[in-house]
Every structure is written in structure tokens, then in C-alpha cells.
Amino acid sequence: MRIKSAFVVVLAAVFFNLQLNAQDTTSVQPEFLQYQNSKWVDSIMESLTPNERIAQLIMVAAYSNRGREHKQEILELIKEQKIGGLIFFQGDPKTQVELMNDYQQAAQVPLLGAIDAEWGLGMRLDNTLSFPYQMALGAIQDDKLIYEMGQEVARQIKRTGLHLNFAPVVDVNNNPNNPVINYRSFGEDKFNVTEKGIAYMKGMQDAGLLTTAKHFPGHGDTDTDSHYALPQINHPFERLDSLEMYPFKKLIEEGIGGVMVAHLNIPALDSTGVPSTLSKEIITGILKERLGFEGLIVTDAMNMKGVTKGNEPGVVDKMAVLAGNDLLEFTEDVPKAIAEVRKAIAQGIISQAEIDKRCRKILAVKQWVGLDDYKPLPVKNIMKQLNTPKALTLQRKLVEASLTVLKNEGNLLPLKRLDTLKVASVSIGAKNTTEFQEALRLYKKVRHFQLRRDAKTSEINKIKEELENYNLTVVGIHDDSKYPRNTMKLSEEVRDFIGELSAENNTIISFFKNPYALNKIDNIEQAPVLIETYQDSEITEELAAQLIFGGIDANGKLPVRVGEKFKAGHGINVNGGIRFKYTTPEDAGMDSKILLGQVDSLMNEAINAKAIPGGQIFVARDGKVVLYKAYGLHRYSDTVKVERTDLYDLASVTKISSALPALMQLYDEEQFSLEAGIDDYLPYFRNSNKAEIPFRQILTHQARFKPWIPYWKNTLRKNGSYKWNTFKKDSSARFPVKVADDMWLHRNYKKKIFKAIRKSPLEEEAKYKYSGLAFYLLPSIVEEITGEDFRKFIDENFYDRLGATTLTYKPSEKFPVERIVPTESDFLFRHVSIHGSVHDEGAIMMGGISANAGLFANANDLAKLMQMYLNRGVYGGERFIEASTLNEFSRTQFPDNDNRRAIGFDKPSLEYKGEDSNTAKDASKDSFGHTGFTGIYAWVDPQENLLYLFLSNRVLPTRENTRLYALNTRTKIQQALYEAIMN
């Protein structure tokens, strides 16, 4: 038995050695190797002493936030020791570039600059972009996005004066408790890790940045952090070869430039117990000989306890060189490291020729990255050049593509029928209203609650009581640290509460944490909807909310298994695109520099010229909101800034926002006819001069109606006092209509308005003449047809379904007056400042309910209605109006009569008239919308799928302020939108 066992051991050893010595001949060699014997490398080699050739193998740590003393230390190492490179850590881009320029100037041989920027410069430098962590990237199904990220990361790193990124991490994270890799890994599936690693690597290297796959031979199955101790991996060779080393082999085959070696104790690969960084068996025997890797071999940081424990600085660096490493990262004692290597050469442990070979490799890298023609980098505009719109758009695309829906019972996502939902949100672990909650509010009215992560039963019970009033609860579970670690610092009571919510059939949970942490909450997998975002950031929170309401899709797949709850690869596709996506201009094919620059400039011009105190701008293209911004103040004389949530008086935009959609819907149902007249629906108008005039003419403003009637003047006596049956200072049953605080209108005065309209004379000629008279009648016509209250009808059929919470009449009944932007100081009729009620005199005398004026909204909610028009009657996955109806209502009806108008909607001038035109030059003939007297502009263009809203209160303090018209601000901004569209 002993002989047989010994024979088996010998055979296993032979087989193992054969495997070690087997070379893969299909590998693509790193590109930089072509320069090892170039003229430039030869010339540099000739200029270097033996010690200086050793120094080229050394890279020390540099910081751009440590001041003059640190800079002087680095300069001394450069000048006296002739080190080969620097790895930059914390600081800021501007200082880093300045320092690198100074360091390069001091260097005899150009320095190789490196950074550990696995998720971009934001990992190390202030005010720079962080792309998603690799765990989130592992969920993405489109590897082209990973490649694009690699290219962008390379561009940014090179812009800061560096040439080498210690990335990607290609460790297969198959240990959920891994404290050091974890979220830094693409996941637990070796194939997915490999595909993502190759895409990221190729993106960076194709853009001229050298990369290193790390941490060889695989740091994924450890439960010890090598920064503090030496982890041990006890798997047999076969497992290590087929799993941990698999991604490294494939990246080597694809031409990766470098490989970083981990600090690990792996008995199956080296039985001596030395860290893999110092193991000749692992680095030379496996990486170089068996895998045939000829690229740059880099140590993990040589100051980590995993390698320094029991080893002196300098001595440990020599050991790393002897093991086969080319580049020593974070050497702590440079003079001693050089001396120790010199001693090893003298002892014949390593040859000078071998050192020279590795030095040539370092120099070849320098030539490949362009250091043979080094030029200092400018500092000017560096932040703008780093954080470009393109980069910001890519960042959002990556987060969006990573979002993973783990549960979606009954296809609840995306939410539909908003009118049936009463929504509450609970943020767990957040002190204040979160970005997630603010983003939810963009789509619908949502009541927000916050719950501390250490909350006790009494606090939880209060929220439970409140939640009984809602039929949908959206829960955000937020992280308690900067990084998405595998921890869960929630009290037992809070965890139980999450479990209870998960058992309800009306709960949506968005988990803004490491997916492994899902396993630490009992029953969370029972939630009807469960979204995994992988990390907690403003962007993940915004996009998770957009996913819930159908602004975006979700197709991420879980890159790791979560205990027995979810398998790796699990993920439910959700199709969005049914409501607004809030994003960047570039995502919609628009140039943000042109768009934002011109819009900001024109708005500031209008505000400075006192054409408007402030306003809101809303722009969407292809259903993507690219600009939603508030400008200026409520009044010229105060300090109240306009907020995006503030409500504006829409004035005549009410015409296309209230009765018109109702009439279109009734037209679909054949309850309303464009060939019918007012008298067909309001018998009072029979035998009048307006009988039998078809609505097709009325709604296109060529029915010969008078433009307007000053109803309020009819309430006055000759001496200026009010007639006894018009106004009283106090309300009563006979005077219930509030016009102002001390003006209450008689209950029957609406009949007088109808009578004035009925008796008003007609114009002689049937041609275009704008008139609001019929729009006072339309709410009554809708009520006559439907048998329903007009406000209730449009709320239920449009505004509630759209989630347009602020699109409303009589806003002060629903919203605090502080959220309503004031309009005119009325010295003609009401003799008060108009704030919280409609500006139009006729509309206020109708009780604030008219189709001529009276609606209020913020830009976001008005946009939902306008986008429904642009979508030809569809929004939120629901059809409101038939496409054929919208096509009919939005086309010019009587162009031969020199009338540009559509049915209810305004249209561009039949011939462009320069600054006298009502639209921008490039607005298409298919476009339509309306303007409002208070300074409103609402317009859509189907040809470019473009929506534009301009909300302002230009009538403050007086309607005589016409500077907005003189400046043509609204149409100039509209033209800027077309100029921003990228071909």
C-alpha cells in the first residue's frame, strides 16, 4: 500500500510539473513588447548605471494632498535614486497634474505614472467621476458599455498625466464574506468575470493606457484582508487552475499588458508558505512559464501586512524581484531595496542581464505610452475636460444597465394606473428625504417617511399606522458606509419590519446595498418587487425611481448568488420607456454645451432686463428629459428663489390643457362633433347668432367671434362703484364666488357671462381672429355631454392618470401659497396683488374654472400632458386619445384662409416672419402648442420628438411689461434646442 501511495504521489507530481511547464502558444503578446529593443530604449539603457536600472523597477507612492514636505521627499527619490515611476493616491486632478509635470521635469528618464482606479478617478481623486463598482458592472448584459467605460477611464487617467491603471480586478469572488475583493469583483461566475475583464481591459488599452489584471492567481475566495494579514487559500491545484486562474489565462490570451500578483499563501502552488508575491514557483513557474506571460508583472502594494509581516523593507523588495516581478509597487525603502538587489546580483542569485531585461520591459512600456516624446500637460480647464457630458452620460448608462429586478410579481413594474395608487415611501437608514424619494415625486404625489436604521418598536409602529392610509409602499434600504460592504447595521426591530413589509402584496423594495447583504434580512425575498442596485449613490437612487415608474428598462442579472434566496444570473427584464426618463442631453442626442449654455444665457438676459423675475424651463426629446431647471426669483423685490416644484399660472395654455383633451376624448367616443355647434350642446345658444357655427371653425379662431369681453367692467356703475348684484365684501350663500379676499361675486354672475357671450356681435369676415369667448363655455359643454363635474372629469380622465399632481385649478386649495408664483399687481379690477388665484379676470369671475385660463402647474406636470400629445395620445402605458384624433386636431385646418391654427392648438406661422414669428425658425410645420399671456410657452414638435416648456410670470408687477416679447426670449430658447440637436 505504501509503495502504491508513493507511486501515486510521484505521478501527481509529474503531472503537476507537466502542467506548470505547458505553455499556451495562442496568447497575444502585449503591444509594448515591440519596443524592448527600440532605439529609444537602447539609448536610455546606455545612459543608466546598474543601480539606476534597478531603480527603474521601483514605483513609490505619491499624493497630491500632502503639501510641500511630501513633494520634496518625492523629488529627492527622483533625483537621487532615479526611481522609475510613481503611483498616485489621494488628492485632486489639478494638483496631481502640476506635481507630475514637476516630477517629470526633475526626472532623468520620464516617470511611469500609475493609479489604482478600478472604478475611475473618483476612487482616488476629489471631484472626479466614479463609475459603478465592478460588482454592479457584473450585472450588465451589454459588454460594449464596459468597453466604453474602459476607454473613458483611460482618457481621464491620461489627462491627469498617468499611464498605467492597476485594473481590472478579475478575481472570481466566490466567497460572500470576502472582506477585500467582494464588490470590487465582477462576480462569482468565471465566464462573466472574464468577459467583463476583457472588455474593460481592451477599452483601456485601445485608448493607450496600460492595464494590469489582478490579483493573480486569484483573491476571490479569501476571508482575510491582505492589507492586514496574509490570507491562505487551501484549494487543490485543479480547482485553482480551472476557476481562480481562468480569467487571468484568458486575459493573457487577449493581450493584457500587465498582471498584478496578490499577497496570498497558496500551499497547492507553493508549499513554502511565502506570499505569492514572493514566490518564484507562482510568478516564474506558473505565470511566466506555464501561462507564457511576457508582459509586465507588478507586485501588489509592498507596504501591505500580507507581505511585510516578518520581512524588512528593502529585503522584501529584493525577494519580489527574485521571484520574477518586474515592477515593485509602493516600495517603502528605495535605497535599501536597490542595495539588496545589488547584493543579490553580487551573490549570483540574479544576473545583471536579468535586471536589464526587466528594465527594458519598463522602458518599453514608457515608449508605448508615449513617454519617448514627453510633453507637460496643461492644467487649464482640467475639471471640465475630465467631467465631460459624454462621461456623465456613460456613468448613468452603466448604472441603468446594472439595475437588477429580482422580484416582480404580477408584473407590477413598471407602475400603471397611477390614479388607482396612493403611494408612500419609507427610506430606511436615511435621516432626510433621499434622492430616491425626490425622484419618485417626479412621477406622482408620494408621502415620504424616514426610519433610522436603529429604530425601535415605538417609532416603527407610528410609521405602520401611517402606512395603513396607502395602498402602495415603496421602501428604500440605504447603505451605512461609503462603500457597499457586506454588512447590515440594522436593529432587529427594523429587520423584522422589513420582513413584515415584504410579506405584504403592495410593497416595492429597492436595495441600495451589496447584494450579499440581502441574505441578512429574513423574508426580504418574499417582497412582491425587489430591486438590487449594488450601491447607494444619487444616480442609483434616481434611476431606481425611474425604473419603478417606467422611465427606464431593467435587464441586469445578479452576478453572485445570495444564499438560498437567489441564484447567480437571476434577473427579471422590465420594459420601461412609458414615462419620462430624466437624463443628460447627450443621452437624447443633444449637445449639453449648446443647450445649457444658450438657455442659461437667454434666461439670465431676460431676468437681468427685468422681462421676467424668474421661470422654469423643461426640455425633453424622445421622452428623455434633458433640461428641467428653475431660474430667478418669485418677485423682483424678494429673495424667494424659484424651485422646480413651484406652480405657475398657465393662462391661455389652459385652452389646450383642460377642455381640449376632454373634447378629443369625447370625439373618440363620438359624443362630440367638430361639425356641431355650441347650440347642439348648450340649448341656451339656440336661435343666437352663434348657432350652427361648427366647432371646427370656433376652435380654429375663425368663427367671427369677438376676441374678448371685459366682463369685469360690466360690474361697475358710472361712478366706479360695483353694482349691487355683483360684488360684496363678505361671502354668503348669494355671493359665494371668491374673486379676492374682500370681493365675493354673485352666484348667478356666470349666467351673465354666458349672456354676454351669446349677445356679442360677430365680426364681419370669417378669417383668423383669436378669441377666447368659446373657451368660457367649454367646461359646461363637457359637463352637458358627460353628466359629470368638469374638474372631476379632467382629473379622473387625465391629470390623475398622468400623475400630474400640480396640474390643477384653484391651486391654493391644494398647495401652500408659498409654492405658487405670484402674477400681476392688479390696479384695474381687484386692486390686490394676484397670488394663488388666476390672473385672468374672466376666469376668476367664473369661479376660477374656465377653459380660457385658470390652470396652474409646474413644468414637470404640464410636460406629462404635452408628452401625451407628442406620443399621439399615449403616456404611462395607457391610451388617452386616439392617434388619428390627435393628428386631426393638431393639423392646420384652413391654410387657404391664411389661418395657421389647428383645432385648439396653435401652429407655426404659415411663412416664417423672423422675430415676428410665433416659433423658432427651425420648428417644423408639424409642431404645435400654445402660448400664455402670463409668459408661458408650451410646444411640441413630432419631427424631432421635441417638447419645450417655458413658464414665467412676465406680468409681474404689470401686464404692461412686454420686454419678454421684445427680447423674443421664448422663441430664441426654442431655436437653441434645435441647434443643440446633434446630427
Side-chain angles (χ1 to χ4, degrees):
M1 289 294 295
R2 289 180 181 176
I3 295 173
K4 185 177 180 181
S5 298
F7 180 69
V8 170
V9 170
V10 170
L11 279 179
V14 170
F15 177 72
F16 177 71
N17 287 325
L18 286 172
Q19 283 188 305
L20 288 180
N21 293 320
Q23 292 195 18
D24 190 337
T25 58
T26 63
S27 298
V28 175
Q29 294 301 320
E31 289 184 4
F32 73 83
L33 292 176
Q34 63 186 300
Y35 297 112
Q36 285 183 105
N37 297 301
S38 69
K39 291 182 179 179
W40 185 79
V41 171
D42 286 346
S43 67
I44 298 297
M45 287 296 293
E46 290 177 6
S47 70
L48 298 177
T49 66
N51 278 12
E52 290 169 354
R53 295 178 185 183
I54 297 170
Q56 283 296 304
L57 279 54
I58 293 175
M59 180 172 279
V60 301
Y63 299 80
S64 52
N65 63 353
R66 290 196 176 180
R68 292 183 180 180
E69 185 175 336
H70 173 70
K71 179 181 179 181
Q72 191 57 40
E73 291 174 359
I74 299 297
L75 284 171
E76 288 176 5
L77 289 171
I78 292 169
K79 293 176 182 178
E80 297 176 8
Q81 303 299 325
K82 310 295 177 62
I83 56 174
L86 301 170
I87 174 171
F88 274 88
F89 288 93
Q90 286 78 17
D92 68 273
K94 179 176 178 292
T95 307
Q96 179 174 292
V97 171
E98 291 172 340
L99 287 173
M100 196 60 179
N101 286 341
D102 290 345
Y103 293 152
Q104 292 286 23
Q105 186 177 7
Q108 175 182 319
V109 178
L111 296 161
L112 185 65
I115 193 167
D116 199 350
E118 296 165 15
W119 51 86
L121 285 178
M123 182 173 175
R124 298 298 179 190
L125 301 182
D126 297 337
N127 304 313
T128 55
L129 286 183
S130 287
F131 293 100
Y133 300 114
Q134 287 190 194
M135 183 73 77
L137 299 179
I140 294 175
Q141 299 305 294
D142 183 2
D143 289 343
K144 291 178 182 176
L145 283 173
I146 312 294
Y147 178 86
E148 289 178 31
M149 173 182 157
Q151 293 220 302
E152 180 57 31
V153 168
R155 185 191 70 81
Q156 293 187 26
I157 289 175
K158 289 168 65 179
R159 180 60 185 86
T160 59
L162 307 181
H163 322 96
L164 169 61
N165 189 11
F166 291 139
V169 174
V170 291
D171 301 311
V172 180
N173 198 87
N174 38 32
N175 185 338
N177 297 315
N178 192 320
V180 64
I181 303 302
N182 206 300
Y183 63 87
R184 297 164 61 196
S185 166
F186 289 118
E188 71 174 41
D189 179 82
K190 68 179 183 181
F191 301 110
N192 190 41
V193 169
T194 300
E195 290 166 6
K196 299 294 188 292
I198 289 172
Y200 191 15
M201 173 269 288
K202 285 193 170 182
M204 288 188 281
Q205 290 193 173
D206 286 354
L209 185 78
L210 197 71
T211 66
T212 62
K214 65 184 187 185
H215 306 81
F216 185 82
H219 210 319
D221 194 7
T222 62
D223 53 17
T224 302
D225 188 339
S226 52
H227 291 85
Y228 307 107
L230 182 64
Q232 183 166 316
I233 296 178
N234 293 313
H235 297 302
F237 174 82
E238 290 77 12
R239 148 68 190 260
L240 296 167
D241 180 59
S242 63
L243 181 58
E244 273 78 6
M245 286 193 278
Y246 179 84
F248 294 96
K249 290 189 285 186
K250 292 301 179 181
L251 265 72
I252 289 169
E253 290 175 10
E254 293 293 333
I256 185 117
V259 170
M260 177 182 284
V261 183
H263 306 314
L264 300 168
N265 176 13
I266 312 175
L269 302 185
D270 188 335
S271 60
T272 64
V274 300
S276 46
T277 334
L278 310 181
S279 168
K280 190 169 186 178
E281 285 79 0
I282 293 173
I283 296 172
T284 301
I286 297 178
L287 184 55
K288 287 186 175 182
E289 296 176 358
R290 177 175 180 270
L291 301 185
F293 183 60
E294 298 182 24
L296 191 70
I297 300 176
V298 185
T299 69
D300 205 344
M302 297 300 290
N303 68 331
M304 292 166 63
K305 296 295 188 292
V307 72
T308 60
K309 189 174 181 180
N311 297 309
E312 295 180 20
V315 175
V316 73
D317 299 281
K318 174 191 70 176
M319 295 167 67
V321 171
L322 297 179
N325 291 287
D326 300 310
L327 184 63
L328 309 176
E329 180 205 347
F330 215 131
T331 295
E332 293 188 285
D333 189 335
V334 175
K336 189 170 183 180
I338 294 173
E340 287 293 330
V341 175
R342 288 297 309 148
K343 189 187 300 182
I345 294 171
Q347 294 171 344
I349 303 173
I350 190 170
S351 67
Q352 182 66 49
E354 178 61 28
I355 296 296
D356 290 352
K357 181 180 177 181
R358 297 186 201 179
C359 181
R360 281 184 174 274
K361 192 184 290 187
I362 301 292
L363 294 175
V365 169
K366 292 184 178 183
Q367 185 169 0
W368 184 77
V369 299
L371 284 172
D372 58 328
D373 187 27
Y374 165 76
K375 293 180 178 64
L377 285 175
V379 174
K380 186 178 180 181
N381 295 326
I382 186 168
M383 296 310 301
K384 187 179 291 186
Q385 291 169 6
L386 289 175
N387 302 326
T388 63
K390 181 180 178 181
L392 292 166
T393 302
L394 176 60
Q395 181 189 39
R396 295 184 72 88
K397 284 183 177 180
L398 289 160
V399 173
E400 180 181 341
S402 73
L403 297 181
T404 304
V405 177
L406 299 175
K407 291 285 297 298
N408 189 24
E409 290 183 1
N411 292 317
L412 185 59
L413 297 186
L415 294 177
K416 300 184 179 70
R417 290 305 307 267
L418 299 186
D419 55 319
T420 66
L421 300 176
K422 192 174 182 184
V423 186
S425 74
V426 182
S427 279
I428 296 176
K431 295 179 180 178
N432 303 307
T433 303
T434 62
E435 291 292 331
F436 179 54
Q437 291 175 313
E438 292 290 355
L440 291 172
R441 195 181 290 171
L442 290 169
Y443 294 96
K444 181 176 172 55
K445 182 180 180 181
V446 180
R447 173 76 185 280
H448 299 317
F449 300 94
Q450 276 71 43
L451 185 66
R452 295 178 300 114
R453 61 177 59 93
D454 59 351
K456 301 301 180 185
T457 302
S458 59
E459 186 178 343
I460 293 170
N461 285 340
K462 288 180 181 178
I463 290 182
K464 282 184 181 179
E465 290 178 14
E466 294 278 4
L467 293 182
E468 290 178 1
N469 299 313
Y470 300 86
N471 63 4
L472 181 66
T473 302
V474 181
V475 180
I477 301 176
H478 296 273
D479 215 330
D480 51 15
S481 65
K482 179 180 178 182
Y483 302 110
R485 304 188 190 282
N486 185 14
T487 56
M488 182 59 71
K489 297 178 182 176
L490 299 178
S491 67
E492 185 177 347
E493 292 89 341
V494 171
R495 295 189 197 206
D496 290 343
F497 178 50
I498 294 172
E500 289 177 34
L501 289 173
S502 299
E504 300 290 338
N505 61 6
N506 63 339
T507 302
I508 295 173
I509 296 179
S510 191
F511 198 69
F512 298 103
K513 291 179 66 64
N514 187 310
Y516 287 129
L518 284 166
N519 212 33
K520 301 185 178 183
I521 301 180
D522 291 341
N523 299 320
I524 194 171
E525 72 277 11
Q526 301 300 321
V529 175
L530 181 59
I531 302 167
E532 172 59 54
T533 74
Y534 302 96
Q535 57 194 87
D536 197 351
S537 68
E538 287 188 7
I539 296 177
T540 56
E541 292 187 28
E542 287 177 25
L543 291 175
Q546 295 188 39
L547 166 61
I548 289 169
F549 281 98
I552 61 172
D553 300 335
N555 54 26
K557 305 299 178 193
L558 197 63
V560 295
R561 67 183 179 278
V562 180
E564 299 301 317
K565 298 181 188 290
F566 300 103
K567 295 179 180 179
H570 178 70
I572 300 167
N573 289 350
V574 173
N575 294 323
I578 64 172
R579 295 192 182 88
F580 281 130
K581 174 183 181 180
Y582 298 81
T583 184
T584 63
E586 279 67 21
D587 192 28
M590 300 181 77
D591 187 315
S592 57
K593 183 177 180 182
I594 295 174
L595 176 68
L596 302 178
Q598 291 197 35
V599 172
D600 285 355
S601 175
L602 288 165
M603 284 298 287
N604 290 331
E605 177 189 53
I607 291 170
N608 292 336
K610 288 189 165 37
I612 54 173
Q616 292 173 5
I617 300 292
F618 188 103
V619 180
R621 186 171 186 238
D622 297 331
K624 300 174 181 179
V625 180
V626 298
L627 178 59
Y628 177 25
K629 190 172 180 180
Y631 297 82
L633 306 172
H634 279 208
R635 306 174 188 267
Y636 295 111
S637 59
D638 64 21
T639 58
V640 179
K641 292 182 179 180
V642 177
E643 302 292 341
R644 299 196 311 177
T645 52
D646 291 339
L647 285 72
Y648 277 84
D649 183 334
L650 301 183
S652 284
V653 170
T654 301
K655 291 180 172 68
I656 64 169
S657 305
S658 62
L660 189 65
L663 292 179
M664 284 191 278
Q665 191 176 87
L666 295 171
Y667 179 87
D668 287 337
E669 297 168 359
E670 298 184 351
Q671 296 188 68
F672 173 76
S673 172
L674 290 171
E675 312 315 322
I678 297 171
D679 53 308
D680 287 299
Y681 304 106
L682 298 179
Y684 175 72
F685 278 81
R686 290 173 186 168
N687 302 318
S688 74
N689 60 358
K690 296 170 184 65
E692 299 183 3
I693 298 176
F695 270 103
R696 190 178 297 275
Q697 292 188 12
I698 293 171
L699 295 176
T700 52
H701 301 278
Q702 70 164 40
R704 296 191 293 146
F705 288 8
K706 292 292 183 182
W708 69 296
I709 296 173
Y711 309 104
W712 66 274
K713 289 184 179 180
N714 297 332
T715 66
L716 298 174
R717 296 188 179 98
K718 290 183 179 180
N719 64 5
S721 63
Y722 294 115
K723 296 175 183 178
W724 74 271
N725 63 341
T726 56
F727 290 106
K728 298 295 181 185
K729 288 188 175 182
D730 295 311
S731 64
S732 66
R734 294 181 64 200
F735 293 87
V737 181
K738 184 178 181 180
V739 173
D741 286 342
D742 59 354
M743 290 181 68
W744 294 84
L745 184 65
H746 194 281
R747 64 190 177 193
N748 292 330
Y749 201 84
K750 179 179 176 181
K751 295 179 180 179
K752 291 182 177 291
I753 292 176
F754 276 37
K755 182 179 180 180
I757 294 172
R758 186 181 189 279
K759 293 180 64 177
S760 64
L762 297 175
E763 299 286 340
E764 292 183 3
E765 187 178 354
K767 63 179 183 180
Y768 169 54
K769 193 157 199 175
Y770 183 78
S771 172
L773 298 191
F775 289 88
Y776 288 96
L777 310 175
L778 294 182
S780 294
I781 289 174
V782 171
E783 290 179 342
E784 185 70 23
I785 295 172
T786 64
E788 294 184 43
D789 175 77
F790 175 67
R791 287 179 72 183
K792 182 180 179 183
F793 181 84
I794 58 174
D795 281 345
E796 291 182 351
N797 285 276
F798 294 97
Y799 307 157
D800 292 346
R801 290 169 64 191
L802 290 166
T805 306
T806 64
L807 194 53
T808 185
Y809 289 103
K810 297 185 175 183
S812 57
E813 293 180 352
K814 297 181 180 180
F815 301 95
V817 72
E818 293 79 13
R819 279 189 60 187
I820 305 169
V821 180
T823 51
E824 186 175 15
S825 296
D826 183 356
F827 296 110
L828 296 174
F829 173 39
R830 283 167 276 189
H831 301 284
V832 293
S833 295
I834 309 303
H835 192 184
S837 60
V838 61
H839 171 269
D840 181 81
E841 296 90 351
I844 194 64
M845 294 177 75
M846 293 282 289
I849 312 296
S850 165
N852 186 62
L855 274 183
F856 285 70
N858 62 33
N860 187 58
D861 283 343
L862 176 59
K864 295 168 186 175
L865 179 70
M866 296 301 293
Q867 186 66 40
M868 183 268 285
Y869 292 155
L870 189 54
N871 293 347
R872 286 298 183 257
V874 173
Y875 189 79
E878 299 182 64
R879 179 162 289 284
F880 292 77
I881 301 166
E882 292 297 325
S884 58
T885 298
L886 261 165
N887 289 338
E888 178 63 18
F889 274 66
S890 63
R891 72 175 179 87
T892 299
Q893 297 290 312
F894 302 105
D896 294 339
N897 201 29
D898 198 28
N899 183 348
R900 71 174 188 257
R901 289 275 176 165
I903 299 171
F905 295 108
D906 197 3
K907 296 283 287 182
S909 301
L910 295 174
E911 293 183 9
Y912 183 67
K913 301 175 182 179
E915 293 193 352
D916 291 331
S917 290
N918 64 328
T919 64
K921 171 174 62 70
D922 288 341
S924 79
K925 294 300 181 183
D926 291 335
S927 68
F928 58 95
H930 215 284
T931 56
F933 186 73
T934 51
I936 312 297
Y937 194 93
W939 212 267
V940 295
D941 190 338
Q943 282 198 15
E944 290 293 350
N945 209 2
L946 186 66
L947 185 161
Y948 163 49
L949 300 180
F950 180 105
L951 273 56
S952 75
N953 54 334
R954 70 100 196 159
V955 294
L956 189 141
T958 170
R959 68 187 68 192
E960 302 303 322
N961 179 13
T962 58
R963 296 187 187 97
L964 186 64
Y965 304 146
L967 291 171
N968 282 308
T969 303
R970 296 179 294 183
T971 53
K972 284 181 179 177
I973 288 177
Q974 188 181 38
Q975 181 59 33
L977 310 187
Y978 289 97
E979 292 172 3
I981 293 173
M982 298 183 288
N983 296 323

